[in-house]
Structure formats: C-alpha cells, structure tokens
Amino acid sequence: MTILKHIAQLLARASDGVYSLVAAVREMFHHDPELRRRVAFSVALIALSAKMAKADGVVTVDEVKAFHEFFHVPPGEMANVTRLYNLAKQDIAGFETYARQMASLCSGDTHECAMLEDVLDALFHVAKADGVIHEREHRFLVRIAQIFEVNEHHFAQIEARHMVPGKADPYVLLGVSPDAPFDEIRKRYRKLVAENHPDRLIARGVPEEFIVIANGRLAALNEAYERLELMLRGKNELRA
C-alpha cells in the first residue's frame, strides 16, 4: 500500500482536521515505527506546505513544481493529496497548532526528531522554488523551527543550504568557526556527508521520493567544502 493510500485511510478517520489526523497516525501505526515516520513526514509536509501557502497568500507555479519533486503522485491518488492540502489550508487551526502536533511525534526517538529537520528542509525547498523566500514565508519557517526546537545556529545552517550556490557563508553551512584549522573542517565535512547520505534519511523514515532533500544537502555541503578548500589554498594554509 502506498503512503498516499495510508493517508486516505487516515482522512477517513480525521474528524477534527489535521489535529485528529496526527492522533490517528499514532493509533494506526503504533506497531510499525518506520511506517509511522514515513506517513507522519508526508502528512506534515503536505499540511504545513498548505499553511505556508496561506501565510504567503499565493502559490506559484514553481512552488507547485517543487512540491511535485517530492510527491510523484499517480493520477488515481492525486485526490488524496488535494484533499489533505485543502483540509489543512481551510482548517481554522493555525499552523502553530499543526507544527506542535507534528513535534509531539518526536518522543525522544532519534529518527523521529531528525525527521522534523527533514520537514523544515523540505519546506525551505518549496518556499525558494520561485527564486526568493518571501518575508512571510521566512517568518513562517522561523516559527516552525522554534516549535520543532531547532536552535538558531542549526536554523542558520539549514537556511544556508537553500541559498544560491556561492552566496551562503561556507563556515555557517558546515557549522565550523572561521578560524578552524582545515583538518577540523575536513572532519566536520565528512561527518555531515555521512549523516546526510540518502540511506540515512530512508532509515529514519523519509520516503524514497523525498531523497531530493538529501541530494540538495550533499550538493550544498560539497560546494561549501570546495570553496573553503580553494580559499585556504589561496592563503597558503594548505599544502599543495
């Protein structure tokens, strides 16, 4: 059964908007943590994308295309995505309520807590699709990060991954000090690459369709590392 069909089952049981939908995720998949994470990730991304669109006031063609980079929806299942999207967009509950419900799924489980960063990353991907993250979208993303307990330093790293290549501060992106020796930078870079390998995301329940997140992270990490390597070589801080 596809994730979208699972969502269709959940929608049939959601009597109180997405609030009850999250409760249904817990109940239906308590026996299968991996499936629960996969369904929860998809529900969170669809619902919070809808709320972000409402906060911004407009949904661009580019944002729709970015959304479909994550969801390769068979024609017969598009109704399930549309129904959840509209349910979230029209629900009187604010996005903070949704975000808190999603955050409540992180009950000390390392994979489920890491999944919240994946959701935030995916929302950034959608927000930037039209070439700029608008002020309202940025405020929305900042508040989501706060509710997900992503600290300011980590948020800055996530945001840097979504800047135009070459524009982000490579030190911020890699999470290292500007005075860090290159050996430390290389060690940090390798650690981040290992942590963000597509297999790691799949292991914590991110559906395979969403590996565009991992690919984007790796591209940003590679670009930052290469820039620092060139900069430090230019300063003769690296041996040829």
Side-chain angles (χ1 to χ4, degrees):
M1 183 181 295
T2 68
I3 292 296
L4 294 175
K5 286 183 179 177
H6 283 301
I7 289 175
Q9 288 185 331
L10 288 168
L11 287 168
R13 302 175 63 168
S15 59
D16 187 24
V18 175
Y19 188 89
S20 60
L21 194 62
V22 175
V25 169
R26 279 201 184 94
E27 180 184 343
M28 284 182 64
F29 308 112
H30 69 277
H31 61 290
D32 190 339
E34 181 178 346
L35 181 57
R36 181 178 67 236
R37 287 192 294 269
R38 293 179 65 204
V39 174
F41 179 90
S42 300
V43 168
L45 184 55
I46 296 171
L48 290 174
S49 290
K51 285 297 187 183
M52 185 166 65
K54 187 173 183 179
D56 184 48
V58 63
V59 180
T60 69
V61 172
D62 289 327
E63 287 172 340
V64 172
K65 287 181 180 177
F67 187 79
H68 282 282
E69 287 180 21
F70 296 121
F71 282 98
H72 302 292
V73 186
E77 296 185 21
M78 178 58 77
N80 295 327
V81 174
T82 302
R83 185 181 171 197
L84 175 54
Y85 189 91
N86 289 337
L87 175 67
K89 196 171 181 180
Q90 297 166 11
D91 198 334
I92 60 173
F95 74 89
E96 293 185 355
T97 299
Y98 282 48
R100 290 191 187 98
Q101 280 292 97
M102 298 306 170
S104 72
L105 292 173
C106 170
S107 54
D109 182 286
T110 301
H111 288 319
E112 289 179 351
C113 294
M115 182 190 70
L116 297 177
E117 179 184 344
D118 299 331
V119 172
L120 183 58
D121 228 350
L123 289 171
F124 259 106
H125 185 82
V126 173
K128 73 174 183 183
D130 58 356
V132 61
I133 296 177
H134 301 281
E135 183 179 349
R136 289 182 182 179
E137 290 174 324
H138 191 265
R139 289 201 300 266
F140 177 95
L141 293 166
V142 167
R143 184 60 187 135
I144 294 294
Q146 291 170 344
I147 293 171
F148 285 178
E149 298 185 359
V150 174
N151 63 41
E152 290 183 11
H153 177 73
H154 197 178
F155 180 83
Q157 284 183 271
I158 296 170
E159 184 174 23
R161 291 200 292 254
H162 294 278
M163 291 184 181
V164 175
K167 296 294 185 181
D169 185 330
Y171 291 104
V172 171
L173 205 153
L174 293 176
V176 293
S177 170
D179 58 3
F182 188 73
D183 285 348
E184 181 182 329
I185 293 172
R186 181 166 48 217
K187 183 177 179 181
R188 173 66 174 168
Y189 162 73
R190 289 174 176 172
K191 181 176 184 292
L192 289 172
V193 167
E195 289 176 350
N196 291 287
H197 190 279
D199 290 345
R200 286 285 186 97
L201 269 71
I202 293 172
R204 67 177 176 240
V206 177
E208 291 186 16
E209 296 90 337
F210 295 80
I211 295 308
V212 65
I213 296 173
N215 292 336
R217 286 180 185 173
L218 291 178
L221 291 171
N222 290 336
E223 192 269 341
Y225 179 77
E226 289 168 5
R227 283 176 61 200
L228 286 181
E229 188 175 31
L230 287 172
M231 287 166 53
L232 295 177
R233 282 194 186 281
K235 294 178 180 179
N236 296 317
E237 294 183 23
L238 286 178
R239 287 178 296 179

